[in-house]
Amino acid sequence: MKKLLIIDFPFAGPFGNDLANKLDVLAQKIKDEPGFIWKVWTEDPEAKRSGGVYLFESEESCLVYLHKHLERLSTIVEKEEVKYYLRDLNDDLNKISFIS
Amino acid sequence: MKKLLIIDFPFAGPFGNDLANKLDVLAQKIKDEPGFIWKVWTEDPEAKRSGGVYLFESEESCLVYLHKHLERLSTIVEKEEVKYYLRDLNDDLNKISFIS
C-alpha cells in the first residue's frame, strides 16, 4: 500500500531558486530512492520552514527513506524540531480530486 | 503564487471505500471551489486521523477554502485539534521530483 510522508522543519534558507541551485543534485538522487514515486518540495521563507510531501510505493520504502532524511537533517535541525507523519491515501476519493 | 494547504485532524471514521461512498458528492463539490487545483485525501485508520494535502491557485483562494473547511469540521472536531499549515511550492525542485 502506497504511503504519504509529510515532513516540515525549521530552515534558515535558502529558498526558491537559490535552494534549487544548491539541491538539484540531491533532488535527482531522491528520485532513485527505492519506492519513491514523487515529492512536492514545500517552503515558507517568512516562517523559515522547509519540508515536503512524498509518495512512496510502500510503508517500508517510506520508512527507509525517512530514516535517511532524518539522519541528513540531524546536522542542521534538532531531532524534536522535525515534524512528520505518515498517512494512507484514500484512492477512491483521490480518483475524483487528484491528478491521475 | 500557488499555495499548498496541509491539514490533519482526529477522525473516528469511516475510512477507505466507506468514506468514499459517504463523501463522493463533497469530493466533487470541492473541485468546484475557486482556485482549487487538486487534493490528496489522507487517512490513518489505526491512529484515527483524516486530512488532506490541497493545491490552490493562490493564497487567497486557499484561505477562503480553509475557512469553509474549518467551519465544516467544527461540528465534529474541536478547533484546536485541527492541525494545518500553508506552504509555498519550490517550483524548480518540483520540476525534478513531482509529476507535472
Side-chain angles (χ1 to χ4, degrees), chain A residues 2-6 38 53-56 62 85-89, chain B residues 40-42 52-53:
Chain A
K2 292 192 175 108
K3 210 62 125 179
L4 202 76
L5 166 64
I6 295 167
W38 52 248
V53 179
Y54 296 77
L55 187 62
F56 283 88
C62 181
Y85 56 96
L86 272 67
R87 290 288 181 264
D88 297 337
L89 302 187
Chain B
V40 175
W41 295 73
T42 62
V53 179

Side-chain angles (χ1 to χ4, degrees), chain B residues 49-77:
Chain B
R49 309 282 302 181
S50 184
V53 179
Y54 295 77
L55 187 63
F56 283 88
E57 289 287 0
S58 66
E59 180 169 14
E60 186 185 8
S61 56
C62 181
L63 290 172
V64 166
Y65 177 76
L66 174 60
H67 178 78
K68 278 192 188 183
H69 190 4
L70 292 176
E71 283 278 312
R72 196 166 50 229
L73 284 177
S74 68
T75 58
I76 59 163
V77 187

Side-chain angles (χ1 to χ4, degrees), chain A residues 7-97:
Chain A
I7 189 165
D8 194 76
F9 49 87
F11 187 70
F15 299 99
N17 298 130
D18 295 335
L19 185 70
N21 289 336
K22 200 175 173 201
L23 294 192
D24 58 343
V25 171
L26 177 63
Q28 288 285 0
K29 251 187 68 173
I30 286 171
K31 287 172 75 174
D32 293 331
E33 294 286 347
F36 175 92
I37 301 175
W38 52 248
K39 173 183 179 178
V40 175
W41 293 73
T42 63
E43 59 192 33
D44 185 334
E46 280 78 38
K48 302 241 180 297
R49 308 281 303 181
S50 184
V53 179
Y54 296 77
L55 187 62
F56 283 88
E57 290 286 2
S58 66
E59 180 169 14
E60 187 185 8
S61 55
C62 181
L63 290 172
V64 167
Y65 177 77
L66 173 60
H67 179 78
K68 277 193 190 183
H69 191 3
L70 293 176
E71 282 278 315
R72 195 165 52 227
L73 283 179
S74 68
T75 58
I76 59 163
V77 188
E78 291 296 321
K79 182 179 170 177
E80 53 278 5
E81 294 291 314
V82 183
K83 308 300 179 192
Y84 63 85
Y85 56 96
L86 272 67
R87 290 288 181 264
D88 297 337
L89 302 187
N90 189 302
D91 292 331
D92 289 342
L93 290 170
N94 289 339
K95 282 191 181 80
I96 297 172
S97 65

